[in-house]
Amino acid sequence: MIGGRRPWWLHAAVYQIYVRSFADANGDGTGDVAGIRSRLPYLADLGIDAIWVNPWYRSPLHDGGYDVADYRNLDPRFGTIEDAEALIADAREHGIGVLVDLVPNHSSSEHPWFVEALASAPGSPARARYHFKAGRGVEGELPPNDWLSNFGGPAWTRIDDGEWYLHLFDSSQPDFNWENPAVIAEFDDILRFWLDRGIAGMRVDVAPGLMKHPDFPDIGDVSQADSAMAIKDHPFWDRDDVHPIIRRWRSIFDEYDGAMMVAEAWVRADRLPLYLRPDEYHQAFEFDLVRAPWDAATFTSVIGEAFAAANAVGSTPTWVLSNHDVVRHPTRYGLPGDIDPAKWLLDGPHELLDEEAGSRRARAAAMIVMALPGSVYLYQGDELGLPEVWDLPESVLDDPVWENSGRRRKGRDGCRVPIPWEATGPSLGNGAVAPWMPQPEGFAALAVSEQLRDEDSMLNLYRSALAIRRERLTSDEDFEQAVSPNVVEFTRGRGFRCIVNMGTSPVPMPTGEVLLASGSIGDELPSDTAVWLVDSSGE
Ligand code: GLC
């Protein structure tokens, strides 16, 4: 809840909205801001403190909106700036803050600056806002260096006059030159534009990108996918000179009471605290649980390390199970721990998936992240237990990862399928017509309308857990973890205990008053089940 003395974001439940797929009010098959507004009562009943809205700016949507053509306006498919303002105001009435997504590493190739750069001569000030370089080879026919795009293929594209421009993602996402004062000033202004409209904060995309080595050296023969974690002084990732920019933004945020920034920073665990120094980001997503297999020892150590890192800089951890970039966790937990879920989407074997185990574990995992001190980020559909739609036909795939990887990575569409609100109709209640991405048959049974009627549904588990969290788990004092094989166990203030059996056989049921359980329990705590208990001393 916004307000009060302790910064709200230290202990918030934030709900991530992928606008395209949340709710379509104008019936064009694409979700929109009016759709979000119409569902605010649902979000308030769920019990969240804030929403983070994925990019809603004007965009050709080559990368789902992470290719921004106008940072100060919405895409007409999503709404208008007035709709955004109305959402911020309505959300506030419901006690919900709005976080917007800041995309500072790159713009869309349709951004007026890039259009101007293409129309201008090599060496011109318009080109200097991006990274244009001459190529190598006799006639400049080779890219300026060996950097690869995150989506596959070279990170450089050649234009008609022979120069190359840098894009760490799709070729429609040219990287800004953050050495250029014009870029710095532009983003100062964009920050203020949204802060002046009353947002509660910003999620910052590709936070460790931005700065590039001035000499643009080759990376060499390290696998580039691993290089960001392996190389010191990496030429384009997690460079030390990104921190002055963060400090600059923080000083702007500090002018706005309660506003916060959360970084998307996929970096080595020992580097993450650097982003969380008191004059930098307020929070950074803790992604280690996203990468963790269903294994008690791994969960226990990830939790312990996240606390150590956050404590060292006086912050609290942020817990994430899924987002719009990863395979949804009910599916991840239904796969053997040694399988890479992103590869499995395409390569299978798909018979390996145990959906029931995945869903049991997803219930238990939700109770872990909602019980831990710190903030929890929920991705739309987590509360419905939506699985990854792994069998989307190739003909509907939209994520640039699919083509850019030479069709070797299926991409992220399977976690972005529109939300089922009702069990029938062309979009399962998402809008008046079939949505931009087809929904599988199985989504009908997972619709909000169905789950509201079933007291044991995933939705009701989330609602109960968030209500208990809000009412009772208000103190982060006395957090302690126990280390026991196959069991994740921790306590926090007022005699609260969370115990999760991740092993394959039941364990004795601990004593205490049961507040909530993820499955049926008796004298024993079954495998893949979580329970929240309170000691009599906590009453
Ligand atoms: C971030 C976003 C992802 C996007 C990429 C490029 O990782 O979460 O969806 O594709 O940045 O902007």
Side-chain angles (χ1 to χ4, degrees), residues 96-359:
I96 295 173
V98 176
L99 310 188
V100 299
D101 214 312
L102 182 73
V103 189
N105 182 67
H106 43 261
S107 70
S108 160
S109 50
E110 293 185 16
H111 189 285
W113 277 9
F114 194 73
V115 173
E116 189 188 339
L118 290 184
S120 305
S124 60
R127 289 223 173 155
R129 296 175 185 135
Y130 295 90
H131 293 291
F132 282 87
K133 301 263 174 238
R136 295 198 286 204
V138 184
E139 287 171 357
E141 72 281 11
L142 300 172
N145 64 28
D146 66 358
W147 299 358
L148 296 180
S149 144
N150 278 289
F151 292 162
W156 298 92
T157 290
R158 197 173 195 197
I159 60 169
D160 288 349
D161 63 21
E163 283 213 312
W164 297 74
Y165 68 88
L166 176 70
H167 51 87
L168 293 185
F169 294 87
D170 188 54
S171 58
S172 65
Q173 294 167 295
D175 279 46
F176 281 118
N177 173 10
W178 274 92
E179 303 280 1
N180 187 328
V183 172
I184 296 173
E186 174 69 356
F187 273 86
D188 286 357
D189 195 67
I190 292 166
L191 254 48
R192 289 186 192 283
F193 178 88
W194 289 102
L195 287 163
D196 286 341
R197 277 164 182 75
I199 56 164
M202 284 184 169
R203 175 265 189 191
V204 180
D205 188 58
V206 191
L210 278 58
M211 298 307 292
K212 278 81 190 177
H213 192 296
D215 302 335
F216 285 71
D218 280 341
I219 289 183
D221 55 5
V222 190
S223 138
Q224 291 212 14
D226 301 335
S227 70
M229 302 290 164
I231 298 184
K232 271 202 166 157
D233 193 24
H234 192 281
F236 63 74
W237 201 250
D238 189 23
R239 297 184 56 74
D240 288 337
D241 46 4
V242 80
H243 293 281
I245 300 170
I246 308 170
R247 288 196 275 272
R248 178 181 186 98
W249 292 344
R250 177 64 182 252
S251 69
I252 295 177
F253 267 74
D254 284 347
E255 295 169 27
Y256 294 81
D257 199 24
M260 59 83 76
M261 297 184 284
V262 54
E264 182 213 26
W266 294 90
V267 293
R268 276 196 341 239
D270 61 312
R271 298 277 301 176
L272 194 62
L274 298 175
Y275 290 78
L276 292 169
R277 286 175 287 195
D279 55 351
E280 300 203 18
Y281 287 112
H282 301 78
Q283 288 185 322
F285 295 123
E286 166 53 55
F287 285 130
D288 286 341
L289 277 191
V290 172
R291 295 181 268 221
W294 187 249
D295 168 66
T298 312
F299 267 62
T300 301
S301 70
V302 165
I303 293 169
E305 281 163 22
F307 270 102
N311 285 342
V313 286
S315 185
T316 54
T318 56
W319 307 106
V320 183
L321 292 173
S322 283
N323 62 32
H324 65 294
D325 289 330
V326 300
V327 173
R328 282 189 178 271
H329 59 274
T331 301
R332 296 201 314 266
Y333 296 151
L335 292 171
D338 56 352
I339 289 272
D340 174 348
K343 283 206 178 111
W344 169 87
L345 289 180
L346 191 63
D347 301 343
H350 297 124
E351 315 75 82
L352 284 180
L353 178 63
D354 179 345
E355 285 180 11
E356 269 174 35
S359 146

